[in-house]
Amino acid sequence: MNQLAEADNRICVMVGDIGAFGFRGFAEKFPGRFLNVGIREQSMVSFAAGLAIQGFKPAVHTITPFLIERAFEQIKVDFGYQKLGGCFVSVGSGFDYAALGCTHHSYSDIAMMRTIPGSHVFYPASPVELDAILKYCFSHSILSYIRIPARNSQAMIAKNLSWSLGDFYPIRHQENPDAILITSGGLVDTCVEALPYIHSGVNVSILHLPTLQPLNETKISQYLKSTHAHIFTIEDHSVRGGLADIIRDLILKNQIKTKSFQACGVESEFIRSYGNFQELCAHVGIDPKSIAEKINLLCINP
Amino acid sequence: MVYEAKEGHIPSAYSIVDIILSLYAARIENETKKASEKDIFALSKGHAGAALYAVLAYFKYLSKDELWDYCKTNSILGGHPDRCKVPGVVLSTGSLGHGIASAVGIAYANKLSKKDSRVFVLVGDGEMEEGSYWEAIMLAKDLELDNLSVICDYNRSQLKYSYHHNYVKAMSAHGWSACSVNGHDFKAMSELWKKQNHELQFILAETTKGYGVERMIAEGDNAWHRRTPTQLEYEEILEELSR
């Protein structure tokens, strides 16, 4: 952010009483361009729209449910409807704050943000992707939502792939795969960790989609068209309106032949259990073992 | 406008039209300021947009002919103003409690850019029930802004349904400079707008919904809030207004 703000004096950062410590260097370097607006999410978003109207480029940051779900109407009306550029960056999506309970979970943020016309939705898995996405957002006057996961993907970091809008990343590419796992952000490594539990005769590819909207549909459908595999979507989000619906729409629209389509994510429930992220993944059925079991079941005994 | 469209909030528009017209005449369209530092007016209570359109037409942002297309399919003038369509409209409003916080953002942006420009934002007394209104009021104070005036259209129509609040006292308690004015006294308001103010200012404009039309005042808000007059009523209202 410091580099971006250095290069463009219209960039401003607003936070809702989180991350002020992490931004202290930014605040000192760019006086007035960092604001801890406080616990006022709705007016923080409308306030940021006021800055955008006057030519500034606001980034607005706080915990997912309070940024996207609480202040959704402000994002929709003050940015979407008014065609203003703004970058909304959240932490604590899905059930990253596992033990804090349902008030601090958010399984609907991607679905909600996708419904705003013109919005861009991102779920990166590594700091390199995040930097590239932020750079893209600030150099285009767009309404964007970036969901930052609590864990960086070591697999994605090791790949060192350069990011481009709408593209997918083959974390693992197999010729003639039996199953393709499509995931993004915080669950990339979970999919990689499922591999040791998958039967040795089953070929599995893993794709990471850091851009959930807009997609490079042509490229993704070309990749999937040649495979005729079982397609799995793995997400720490509701299976309604998120990655599952995005990929299902793409498959139907492009008449992609698949052996089956399996949506793995949060079904219609509040996750009332506590514990850590991995434990809640197991509860939902998106931990490495559960993912592997589903794949083995379909691919070994078709 | 509203009679042609069979849609709109006439009493709300008559409640604020004197405020907006006097403000534009005394301040916004004041030609002594350079264009980049022009003072800014934002209508947070978007449902009274018809009054803003009339004033914008008076100051040639719109042609008067365009007013007759109000709320028609291809018109740029909707029931609530859209900044992407209407020249001179700063904020697209309609959902209450948004415009006030965006006005705080505009005032802050002007400070960052070192622009000598004051922001005037008009809210409704009903709108002040929104939680986001009070978030914005506290935020403006925390940011130590001195280039923002909030004008409240105090027509008390909403207060029938809620407790009576002393908004001047409440805003003073939040650290704003607060006063009241007769929202239909053109001269008093013009003098107020012309004063160079360097503080957070709250102005309670005491107004009457449907001001200028006896039947709207007498028959009240339940009857007229979103009603279109019949042809006979329309002719009688025009005659009454031209007196």
Side-chain angles (χ1 to χ4, degrees), chain A residues 21-36:
Chain A
F21 187 73
F23 275 103
R24 66 197 186 284
F26 185 102
E28 277 167 25
K29 203 164 179 189
F30 310 109
R33 288 163 59 193
F34 171 82
L35 285 179
N36 181 359

Side-chain angles (χ1 to χ4, degrees), chain A residues 12 31-33 35 37 40-44 46-47 49-51 53-54 56 73-74 77-78 81-84, chain B residues 40 82-84 90-92 95 98 101-102 104-106 108-110 112-113 115 135-136 138-139 142-143:
Chain A
C12 293
R33 288 163 59 193
L35 285 179
V37 174
R40 302 171 176 135
E41 294 83 4
Q42 298 166 64
S43 57
M44 174 164 67
S46 301
F47 176 87
L51 279 167
I53 285 169
Q54 292 303 81
F56 286 93
E73 198 216 4
Q74 273 77 8
V77 171
D78 299 344
Y81 172 48
Q82 301 200 72
K83 298 182 187 169
L84 293 172
Chain B
I40 291 169
D82 180 346
R83 68 182 281 276
C84 302
V90 174
L91 290 174
S92 303
S95 182
H98 288 226
S102 290
V104 177
I106 292 172
Y108 184 76
N110 287 348
L112 275 183
S113 314
K115 270 189 198 170
E135 287 183 9
M138 286 190 276
L139 178 58
D142 288 349
L143 295 172

Side-chain angles (χ1 to χ4, degrees), chain B residues 19 22-23 26-27 118 120 149-152 177-183 185-197 199 201-206:
Chain B
I19 300 170
S22 63
L23 181 63
R27 194 76 190 232
R118 192 165 187 86
F120 294 85
S149 296
V150 172
I151 308 157
C152 170
S177 160
C179 66
S180 61
V181 68
N182 177 344
D185 184 339
F186 211 86
K187 193 163 168 274
M189 284 191 289
S190 299
E191 279 168 19
L192 186 60
W193 309 138
K194 279 177 188 163
K195 274 185 201 157
Q196 291 306 315
N197 194 310
E199 54 192 353
Q201 185 187 35
F202 174 78
I203 299 141
L204 189 86
E206 300 201 38

Side-chain angles (χ1 to χ4, degrees), chain B residues 207-220:
Chain B
T207 55
T208 305
K209 242 181 145 173
Y211 185 78
V213 183
E214 275 310 317
R215 75 181 67 211
M216 287 187 188
I217 300 165
E219 292 168 27

Side-chain angles (χ1 to χ4, degrees), chain A residues 198-237:
Chain A
I198 296 170
H199 193 274
S200 58
V202 179
N203 282 337
V204 176
S205 294
I206 301 171
L207 305 185
H208 161 43
L209 263 64
T211 308
L212 296 170
Q213 184 164 287
L215 292 181
N216 185 337
E217 273 202 33
T218 315
K219 203 170 166 189
I220 299 170
S221 51
Q222 265 171 8
Y223 184 91
L224 296 180
K225 247 179 191 165
S226 57
T227 57
H228 192 51
H230 295 284
I231 307 288
F232 286 75
T233 54
I234 315 285
E235 59 189 320
D236 53 345
H237 184 276

